[in-house]
Amino acid sequence: MKKTVPTYELYGEKSGERPDFWLHCETIPSRSSLYHWEIGLHRHESFFQILYIAGGSGDAVFGNAVNMIKPPVVITVPPALSHGFRFSRDIDGFVFTILASHLKTTPGERSRLGAWLAAPHLIRLGGGEDAAYIAATLTRLAREWETSRSNRADLLDAYLTAALTLTARLDETSDERDDSSESENERRVQRFQALLQQHYRTHWPAAAYARELGLSLTHLNRITRAIAGLSAHEMISRKLVGEARRELVFTRASVQEISFRLGFADPAYFSRFFLRQTGMTPRAWRLAERDRLGA
């Protein structure tokens, strides 16, 4: 009989013991030493993991594939993937466990980064400025996680986003892929997403983004559907809903406060918009999500 792979929030903790966090950090020896330096096959249903290993050695097991660990290395593990590790006793590094819904790009999303996040990776940090920056940023992320200083959440978010994005770029470079391999349409969608990040709170219509990109709205919609599977308007709506969900789960702000933060002049209209997009009111979604996460 095939052995069932257990699902954990953190390894060794029952899935019903849901911790209240979007980011958790610990040293690799602190947990692996409790299990004789071997973490058996398991999965995390809602969490994405990053391991930064600065020293030691071992193996990373993804399903039936065994990969040798040669530090310094960054290992990424997407949600729901069966994985395990064998470490030497001199292993040195950190493991970060992140609520997948908190990531700015969802694993499996129709984008280059979304596809990258949906698969496991071992990225060797050799020489070079980016590799050094990734190692330093993940170390800062671990140290900041231990503090309770002002603006901690913003710094954690910034460190995480920078380290993860640069790691994905470094991995693409190591595979001898660079920006020249991207199609012009992919670059246009990336520019659209950059503009969207700047202006989503001002509720630019899709036509305004098309003008800024020097495209017709029809052309922009054709491109976004081909690359992301969504129209430009749908991408704008998804961005607003994604930010609303983050605010609802990770802040104590009222629905009215969140609606104003996101550029909605009328909280009632914001609630109707959220209901159309998700099938739930903001308050009901917040309660259901926090209950699901055990918050």
Side-chain angles (χ1 to χ4, degrees), residues 120-188:
H121 299 279
L122 281 84
I123 305 93
R124 184 87 196 284
L125 300 181
E129 185 178 355
D130 281 351
Y133 187 87
I134 291 166
T137 302
L138 289 173
T139 301
R140 289 292 300 270
L141 178 62
R143 289 174 180 169
E144 189 66 35
W145 186 84
E146 294 177 340
T147 73
S148 57
R149 291 180 291 185
S150 60
N151 300 316
R152 174 175 177 263
D154 290 340
L155 277 174
L156 291 174
D157 218 359
Y159 289 149
L160 173 64
T161 300
L164 199 52
T165 305
L166 275 176
T167 300
R169 181 186 294 175
L170 185 66
D171 191 35
E172 289 184 347
T173 301
S174 69
D175 286 343
E176 298 182 349
R177 297 191 300 270
D178 55 32
D179 289 343
S180 64
S181 68
E182 297 177 5
S183 71
E184 179 61 27
N185 285 345
E186 286 177 316
R187 286 192 285 270
R188 284 169 171 163

Side-chain angles (χ1 to χ4, degrees), residues 205-225:
Y209 289 102
R211 284 195 300 272
E212 189 72 17
L213 293 167
L215 303 171
S216 69
L217 179 56
T218 300
H219 193 183
L220 177 59
N221 280 327
R222 186 181 304 121
I223 290 170
T224 58
R225 284 196 177 97

Side-chain angles (χ1 to χ4, degrees), residues 42 48-49 65 76 79 84 87-88 97 99 117 133-134 144 161-162 164-165 167 169 174 221 232 252 255 260 274:
H42 65 288
F48 183 93
Q49 286 194 313
T76 62
F87 297 119
S88 61
T97 303
L99 192 63
L117 292 171
Y133 187 87
I134 291 166
E144 189 66 35
T161 300
L164 199 52
T165 305
T167 300
R169 181 186 294 175
S174 69
N221 280 327
R252 296 185 180 275
V255 171
F260 291 149
F274 192 91

Side-chain angles (χ1 to χ4, degrees), residues 37 39 53 57-62 65-70 75 84-88 91 122:
W37 309 98
I39 304 297
I53 300 176
S57 60
D59 295 315
V61 182
F62 301 136
V66 179
N67 305 270
M68 187 178 296
I69 297 172
K70 296 181 179 180
I75 302 173
F85 300 98
R86 292 188 289 268
F87 297 119
S88 61
I91 198 72
L122 281 84

